[in-house]
Amino acid sequence: MDTREQILHAATSVFAQHGFRGSTTRRIADAAGVNEVTLFRYFGSKDALLEEAVRLDSKEPLSELLPEIPVDPEAELTRWTEAVREHLHSKRSLIRKCMGEMEERPEMMLCAKQAPVRSTNNLCKYFENLRKHGFTKEEGDPMVAAAMLMGTVFHDAMGREMMPEAMPKPVSKAVPQYVRLLLNGLGVKRKSHKS
């Protein structure tokens, strides 16, 4: 990892733990193993550094793309949704900090929303392909279906620790239940597995 990457990684970690105000250049420099002057040489300001760190982190995809031609919607969507949930769960501290700072620093949220928007668009396209390939005749809005699934998974990934009593148990069975309920609502029949 080069020095720039080291600094960005440290800045993301420090921001996720301490928020904007607590992410002092001294803390970031210490975490990166460099001096403060190096931070300013690479990024010019703390604001620019943190925005770049969050933007770079958000470029990391939430999951693989869903297939262009659906074959087994339940299996495909379950795999994809589990990967999204795991990603969101692993980034929960950073996401919470961005959301908590949204009113004071809206630019942080603009940086952080890139990956979720890409994933929602991918999901919408998949729902359109389900209809196109005859898995459903429903005229439902793909964006509504995508918002429902992404909202549910976001709630699970971010809130399970705070409200475990409000979540399906065990966690390993939650995503398959969310996916099955959504596919039922869209009229997608379960794939029959012949022996």
Side-chain angles (χ1 to χ4, degrees), residues 180-195:
R180 186 66 250 151
L181 185 61
L182 181 67
L183 290 177
N184 283 343
L186 292 173
V188 177
K189 302 291 182 223
R190 223 179 197 143
K191 187 174 181 177
S192 62
H193 297 282
K194 296 178 182 174
S195 308

Side-chain angles (χ1 to χ4, degrees), residues 19-176:
F20 186 84
R21 285 194 181 125
S23 296
T24 63
T25 53
R26 165 62 46 214
R27 257 191 188 135
I28 296 168
D30 288 347
V34 299
N35 62 46
E36 285 181 89
V37 174
T38 304
L39 300 183
F40 292 105
R41 193 174 335 123
Y42 276 93
F43 298 96
S45 70
K46 174 180 143 177
D47 287 35
L49 167 58
L50 290 175
E51 282 180 40
E52 180 64 22
V54 172
R55 183 178 299 106
L56 184 65
D57 192 75
S58 186
K59 286 184 179 178
E60 183 182 314
L62 288 181
S63 66
E64 297 295 317
L65 293 177
L66 286 157
E68 188 78 26
I69 300 172
V71 175
D72 185 347
E74 190 166 353
E76 294 159 356
L77 198 53
T78 297
R79 270 192 308 275
W80 184 86
T81 306
E82 285 173 338
V84 168
R85 189 212 169 277
E86 181 56 38
H87 178 84
L88 290 170
H89 184 73
S90 74
K91 301 289 183 181
R92 67 192 179 284
S93 293
L94 180 63
I95 294 166
R96 287 175 183 152
K97 288 295 187 280
C98 287
M99 290 179 76
E101 308 248 351
M102 191 165 49
E103 289 179 12
E104 192 173 327
R105 305 198 148 286
E107 67 276 6
M108 297 303 276
M109 203 59 203
L110 292 174
C111 297
K113 74 176 193 171
Q114 294 174 9
V117 168
R118 279 192 311 272
S119 290
T120 299
N121 291 338
N122 182 25
L123 193 53
C124 285
K125 186 175 180 183
Y126 184 74
F127 289 143
E128 289 167 4
N129 286 333
L130 287 178
R131 187 176 345 165
K132 180 179 168 185
H133 293 283
F135 284 96
T136 180
K137 303 283 188 246
E138 298 295 319
E139 294 299 317
D141 185 339
M143 183 56 80
V144 171
M148 287 178 68
L149 186 57
M150 290 295 287
T152 300
V153 171
F154 184 83
H155 174 68
D156 188 303
M158 302 300 287
R160 185 171 284 274
E161 294 163 333
M162 294 184 299
M163 305 174 290
E165 66 281 354
M167 304 291 168
K169 292 168 195 63
V171 67
S172 63
K173 296 196 186 229
V175 166

